[in-house]
Amino acid sequence: TQERIVGFQFHPWVGSNTGGSPSLAMEIKAGKFRRVIRHTNGNTSTSATQTMLTKDYGAVPYDKWIDFEVYYDPAGGEVTGRVIINMVVDGVRTRMDDYTGRCLHSWSSWPFWKIGVYDWNINSSGGSAARIVYFDMAAHGKATPTTFESVIGLTAAPPAPNQPPIVSVGANASYTAGTTTFPLDATV
């Protein structure tokens, strides 16, 4: 089927030009989530051919609350761009994507962000036009992958538990009462 409902999109932008398909989008197609990245492979012309990279995230868990946690640093369309996407369903967080590479049209100065239901072909695709999506919270700000993970509650592996010290005081020895000095060869 041609069902395409988008939860979020990051569109290319420069001046008044917002042309082109989104550089990063989450879509639902044929009942499956998929991530789409589009870029112009370094070409700075607004008419440049787009490269499209998709990743299938599997079946949509309908009738459940789904949280998406998205880290997006397009790095000006350079090969150092980064996308991290986590999906949380029923309290279980799953890393769906950790992509490094181009993820922005190279002519764009910075993407603009849209969230909502978006079906650009709804009248010709047949089927019902009725869609419902709830958004609870959206936030944005500057971050690195490390601060992103700390903000969403992911932390590094906990430190190893404390261990008792290992001490050696040398070989066993016996001393008689009245001895006032004892040789000691110890390491900690």
Side-chain angles (χ1 to χ4, degrees), residues 66-84:
I66 303 168
D67 286 320
F68 284 102
E69 302 162 339
V70 180
Y71 172 82
Y72 178 46
D73 178 1
E78 296 301 318
V79 295
T80 56
R82 185 93 185 265
V83 175
I84 300 171

Side-chain angles (χ1 to χ4, degrees), residues 27-46:
E27 299 179 350
I28 298 174
K29 185 171 183 178
K32 293 183 176 184
F33 280 120
R34 77 176 187 167
R35 177 270 290 149
V36 180
I37 291 175
R38 294 175 182 90
H39 64 81
T40 55
N41 206 29
N43 190 324
T44 57
S45 167
T46 56

Side-chain angles (χ1 to χ4, degrees), residues 27-141:
E27 299 179 350
I28 298 174
K29 185 171 183 178
K32 293 183 176 184
F33 280 120
R34 77 176 187 167
R35 177 270 290 149
V36 180
I37 291 175
R38 294 175 182 90
H39 64 81
T40 55
N41 206 29
N43 190 324
T44 57
S45 167
T46 56
S47 61
T49 301
Q50 298 180 103
T51 297
M52 185 168 94
L53 308 168
T54 62
K55 183 173 183 182
D56 183 350
Y57 291 162
V60 173
Y62 289 102
D63 300 321
K64 292 188 177 278
W65 188 264
I66 303 168
D67 286 320
F68 284 102
E69 302 162 339
V70 180
Y71 172 82
Y72 178 46
D73 178 1
E78 296 301 318
V79 295
T80 56
R82 185 93 185 265
V83 175
I84 300 171
I85 300 176
N86 297 329
M87 185 168 70
V88 183
V89 180
D90 293 332
V92 177
R93 177 180 282 113
T94 304
R95 174 66 48 97
M96 304 303 287
D97 213 341
D98 192 342
Y99 168 85
T100 299
R102 293 187 192 275
C103 52
L104 180 67
H105 296 70
S106 296
W107 54 263
S108 179
S109 58
W110 196 256
F112 70 92
W113 181 42
K114 298 189 319 186
I115 60 172
V117 176
Y118 181 68
D119 190 339
W120 59 91
N121 202 17
I122 200 162
N123 293 326
S124 64
S125 63
S128 171
R131 304 289 191 260
I132 188 165
V133 175
Y134 299 97
F135 291 94
D136 181 38
M137 181 184 86
H140 70 90

